[in-house]
Amino acid sequence: MDGAHDLGGMHGFGPVPIEADEPLFHEPWEGRVWRMLGNVMAHTTVDRFRYTIEQMPPDEYLASSYYERWLWALEHLAAEQGLLDSDARPPTVAWPSPTTPTWAGRFRAGDQVRVRNAVTDGHTRVPRYLRLHVGRVERVACAWPNPGESAATGSYGEPELVYTVAFAATDLFDAAADHTLTADLAESDLEEPWPT
Amino acid sequence: MADLTPAQRVERLERHLHEHGHLDSDDVDAAVAAVESASGDAPSTALGARVVARAWVDADFRARLLADPMNAVAEYQPQGVPIAVLEDTPSVHHVIVCTLCSCYPGGLLGNPPAWYKSFEYRSRVVREPRAVLAEFGMEVEPDVELRVHDSTAEQRYLVLPVRPPGTESWSQEQLATLVTRNSMIGTGRPRTP
C-alpha cells in the first residue's frame, strides 16, 4: 500500500536524531509494549504486524513515536485475535525456517530486472522509490513466504525466492548521486525489463 | 482513547490480557529486565563485536562468515532469519537501513538504536548517504564505492568493518573492544588504538 511508512527517498526530514548513550527503552511502558508484542505475534505473522502499523492514518503515523506505533498495532491485533474479551487462545503460528534455497529461479546473477508496479491496498515490501526501475540481480538472498500473502492471511505459505537487486542511485534519485542501492525483492515483484 | 497517555493505554491493555489469562505481568517484568541487561551470548553489540573481532583474526572463520553466514553466526547465536555479511574493504563501504519499518540484525546485535528507526534516517540515507554519514562524523572518500542496503525482506545484514591499522599484535578480545555498534551498521568506523 502507498502509506506514510514508505519513507525511502522522501525530502523534508531534518538531521538524524543521534542520541549518545541512549537507553534501550526511554519510558517503562515502551519495554512492556516490546514484550507484550510477543503475545500477539505468537498468533499471526510479522507481515500482518507491519501491515497493521501501515494502516495507521498517515498524520497519526508521522506524529507517533516508534513504540507508540507498536502500541497502536498491539491494540488492534489483540482485539482482532479476541484476546481482550475472551480466554480462548488462537492457534500459534510457527515462524518459517530460514533454510537456504536449493532450487533455481527465473533470474540469475547479472540479469537485468524491472521492479513490477503491482500496487494494491494490501501489504508489499517493494518501496515506492524502486517501482518500475531496472536493477541488476546480485544473488539469491533467501527463500521466504510472500509478505503480501502472509499479511493478508495471518499465516505463512510456501517460500518464494528473494533476490538481492542492485540499483544505481543516479537512476533512482538524481544525477549527482554516486552510490549503489540494494534491496531484497521477491521473485513475484520482478519481471524482465521491457524492450527499449 | 485519544485522551489516554501511552502509559495508560499500555496499563489498560496489560490488564485486559491479564484478566483473560493471556499474560503474566511478572513475565513482562522479567523479560524487560533481562533485555535491559543482556550479556554473554544474548544478542547485543558486544556479541556482534566478538563475531567481528574473530573474523579479523581467524581467516577460516572469516571465509565461513562470508560464504555461509547463517551457520557461522549460529556458532554464537542461532538466527531465526537469513543473515548476510557485508565485507567492507578500503575501496567499498556498506551501510544498512530499513526504509519501510525497522528491520535490523536484532538476532545478533539486539534492539536497534532509536536513530536507526527514525524517519530522518529511513528517508535520507538511501538518497544522500554521504550527507547522513557526515552527521555521524564519518567522511567517506569520493573514490570509495558506497553501497546502501535497504532491508526490504526478512534477510538481515551485518557490516564487517575494516580492521583498524596499528592493531597487528592485538588479541581477539582486545580487538572486540574496538568494534562499535555503528561500525556494524555502517554509520561509523571501529575505534582506533
Side-chain angles (χ1 to χ4, degrees), chain A residues 114-119 126 131-132 187-191:
Chain A
R114 184 180 295 272
V115 181
R116 293 183 62 221
N117 188 26
V119 186
V126 179
R131 286 183 205 151
L132 293 171
E187 189 166 76
S188 55
D189 288 319
L190 300 172
E191 61 190 6

Side-chain angles (χ1 to χ4, degrees), chain A residues 98-117:
Chain A
T99 50
T100 306
T102 51
W103 65 96
R106 279 170 60 201
F107 305 110
R108 301 276 181 283
D111 284 357
Q112 299 283 113
V113 288
R114 184 180 295 272
V115 181
R116 293 183 62 221
N117 188 26

Side-chain angles (χ1 to χ4, degrees), chain B residues 5 11 22 26 32 39 41 52 60 64 66 69-70 78 96-97 108 124 133 139 150 159 165 171 176 182:
Chain B
T5 65
E11 271 183 45
H22 301 303
D26 290 343
V32 173
S39 63
D41 283 341
V52 167
D60 287 345
R64 286 208 305 285
L66 294 170
M70 274 294 288
I96 61 171
V97 62
L108 187 62
R124 292 178 52 219
L133 294 180
E139 190 188 342
D150 194 353
V159 176
S171 71
N182 289 8

Side-chain angles (χ1 to χ4, degrees), chain B residues 102-171:
Chain B
S102 60
C103 299
Y104 183 75
L108 187 62
L109 302 185
N111 285 6
W115 62 257
Y116 185 84
K117 305 177 284 191
S118 70
F119 300 144
E120 293 84 355
Y121 185 73
R122 287 166 52 194
S123 64
R124 292 178 52 219
V125 77
V126 289
R127 182 170 203 123
E128 44 171 4
R130 286 175 201 274
V132 169
L133 294 180
E135 291 170 19
F136 286 85
M138 187 174 176
E139 190 188 342
V140 179
E141 299 299 323
D143 59 343
V144 171
E145 182 188 357
L146 191 52
R147 296 174 62 87
V148 181
H149 302 267
D150 194 353
S151 306
T152 51
E154 225 52 59
Q155 174 172 264
R156 298 290 174 266
Y157 288 100
L158 174 75
V159 176
L160 175 57
V162 175
R163 179 174 174 166
T167 59
E168 289 73 15
S169 62
W170 285 46
S171 71

Side-chain angles (χ1 to χ4, degrees), chain A residues 4-11 13-19 22 24-26 29 31-36 39 46-47 50 54 61-64 66-72 74-75 78 82-90 95-96 98 100 124-127 129 138-139 141-144 162 164 166 169 173-174 177-185, chain B residues 1 5-7 9-14 16-17 19-29 31-32 35-37 68 70 79-85 97-103 111-130 132 135-136 142 144-157 181-182:
Chain A
H5 68 284
D6 190 355
L7 290 165
M10 271 185 71
H11 282 121
F13 291 99
V16 177
I18 305 163
E19 185 182 351
E22 69 174 271
L24 192 53
F25 303 113
H26 290 76
W29 66 263
R32 306 192 85 72
V33 167
W34 168 81
R35 168 59 182 78
M36 283 195 284
N39 285 70
V46 67
D47 307 286
R50 294 187 185 122
E54 291 167 10
Y61 182 98
L62 291 169
S64 300
Y66 183 73
Y67 284 108
E68 283 172 344
R69 301 195 296 277
W70 275 35
L71 174 57
W72 195 92
L74 185 55
E75 289 168 335
L83 302 179
L84 302 180
D85 49 18
S86 165
D87 295 359
R89 192 74 57 90
W95 183 252
T100 306
T124 179
R125 293 295 293 178
V126 179
Y129 74 89
E138 297 212 315
R139 62 189 189 91
C142 59
W144 203 259
V162 176
T164 299
F173 298 121
D174 69 71
D178 65 352
H179 56 288
T180 300
L181 233 304
T182 79
D184 296 332
L185 301 168
Chain B
M1 184 194 279
T5 65
R9 284 163 60 196
V10 170
E11 271 183 45
R12 183 185 56 180
L13 185 68
E14 193 167 337
H16 285 302
L17 290 174
E19 278 169 8
H20 291 286
H22 301 303
L23 186 78
D24 180 339
S25 289
D26 290 343
D27 287 349
V28 178
D29 296 339
V32 173
V35 71
E36 284 185 324
S37 61
D68 184 12
M70 274 294 288
Q79 300 292 301
V81 291
I83 190 158
V85 175
V97 62
C98 172
T99 61
L100 295 171
C101 50
S102 60
C103 299
N111 285 6
W115 62 257
Y116 185 84
K117 305 177 284 191
S118 70
F119 300 144
E120 293 84 355
Y121 185 73
R122 287 166 52 194
S123 64
R124 292 178 52 219
V125 77
V126 289
R127 182 170 203 123
E128 44 171 4
R130 286 175 201 274
V132 169
E135 291 170 19
F136 286 85
V144 171
E145 182 188 357
L146 191 52
R147 296 174 62 87
V148 181
H149 302 267
D150 194 353
S151 306
T152 51
E154 225 52 59
Q155 174 172 264
R156 298 290 174 266
Y157 288 100
R181 180 187 59 201
N182 289 8

